[in-house]
Amino acid sequence: MDEGFLRLSRRFFSNEMWKVAREFSECEAWLDLIQSARFEATDKAYSELIGGREISYSRGQYPASISFLMKRWQWSEKKVRYFLAKLKKRGMITTCNKQGMTVITLCNYDEYNPVKGKGEDIDRGIDNSQEISEFNNALGEIRAELRATAEKMAKKMEELGQARGNKKKKDKEIDNNNPPIPPEGEGINIKSRSVFESYVKSTFDTDYYWTEKDAGSMSKLLKKISFSRNQKGMPVDDDSLLYALQSLLSSIHDDWILKNFSVAIINSKYNEIVNQARNGNKDKAGNSDSDRKAVIRTTATYNIDK
């Protein structure tokens, strides 16, 4: 029978038969998305702190990263991405990454979980879902713009403070008949951010949510690369440092680092990444020994104790 409903208590998903450790089938994964999506209908989008980010989502939506679904369903990353792409192609879900995390929207959620007392709205399941999705996308864009504006204001205030400090320093140097010292590395941070975000987009097919903490970590990472190249007598101009950064990112094949990919992680694991390239004859991605040596020549090894 194609009509009607088969009632299934939500307590079923707490039963040991469902919770047993296993690799999910596609049918089980789809059922898991339906039961995991937010059920409560409210006038305002629900906000929750997930992975250090405030994520806003509504009825019929489910925030879940690729790595989380891989662990939950015991699938490979490729299989998870293929499954979600197939659901989107069939018009069963939509996804949005504008809040720094994938938010999955079930397009016909009201057909699976109708709201009591709103029978007239059930027939409009598709329209309601689209309205919810559009509202959530707009809300995500507004939040992202507000965060970006706040970060720009904070950065501007910091630059103004630094400008005042630099002016006092320059005045003192002039009084001592010493010429002012020009700033170093001007524009390199903006270029390095572009290199990093482009690499994340091409490798993971997602946008990277850049923060001020990332900017600080990137500055430290560039200093390490610059120090290493100076020790080897290699050029440290902007183009050379950006090329070295690109080579460093391409050399990363550690599973843990890839699952927790961020500027701060790469900065903290810098020596480990270079040492892995130095010690391994061939990495998991099949890079040859000549490729590995190219990475070592490009970045060299940074010794924190020096």
Side-chain angles (χ1 to χ4, degrees), residues 123-290:
D123 295 333
R124 297 179 63 251
I126 296 178
D127 294 336
N128 287 341
S129 178
Q130 290 176 346
E131 291 173 1
I132 291 172
S133 177
E134 291 173 359
F135 173 78
N136 184 72
N137 290 342
L139 183 61
E141 292 177 358
I142 292 173
R143 288 181 179 275
E145 290 177 0
L146 288 175
R147 290 193 185 97
T149 301
E151 289 177 1
K152 287 180 180 178
M153 291 179 64
K155 185 176 181 180
K156 188 65 177 179
M157 292 178 67
E158 182 180 354
E159 289 175 351
L160 289 173
Q162 291 177 348
R164 293 191 186 98
N166 289 338
K167 186 177 184 302
K168 292 180 180 179
K169 183 178 180 180
K170 288 180 180 179
D171 292 341
K172 184 177 179 181
E173 290 171 346
I174 292 173
D175 292 339
N176 294 331
N177 295 321
N178 292 324
I181 301 175
E184 297 181 356
E186 185 176 358
I188 184 66
N189 285 341
I190 297 176
K191 295 177 183 178
S192 61
R193 172 179 175 177
S194 178
V195 169
F196 186 85
E197 290 179 336
S198 298
Y199 180 82
V200 171
K201 184 68 175 179
S202 63
T203 303
F204 303 101
D205 191 26
T206 186
D207 295 324
Y208 186 79
Y209 183 74
W210 188 271
T211 65
E212 285 199 26
K213 181 180 178 181
D214 291 320
S217 297
M218 179 59 75
S219 295
K220 295 177 182 178
L221 180 59
L222 290 174
K223 286 181 180 179
K224 292 179 181 180
I225 296 175
S226 178
F227 179 88
S228 302
R229 294 176 66 84
N230 263 324
Q231 293 295 98
K232 298 292 183 179
M234 303 173 72
V236 292
D237 57 279
D238 285 6
D239 290 339
S240 297
L241 292 180
L242 293 174
Y243 174 75
L245 174 62
Q246 180 69 47
S247 299
L248 179 69
L249 297 177
S250 302
S251 73
I252 300 173
H253 301 289
D254 182 270
D255 290 339
W256 186 88
I257 297 178
L258 290 173
K259 290 180 180 178
N260 299 274
F261 207 82
S262 70
V263 183
I265 292 295
I266 295 171
N267 176 53
S268 64
K269 298 288 186 180
Y270 177 77
N271 282 346
E272 182 178 326
I273 294 169
V274 177
N275 286 335
Q276 285 179 354
R278 178 191 298 276
N279 297 328
N281 290 329
K282 181 172 279 192
D283 56 33
K284 295 182 180 179
N287 290 331
S288 65
D289 187 62
S290 60

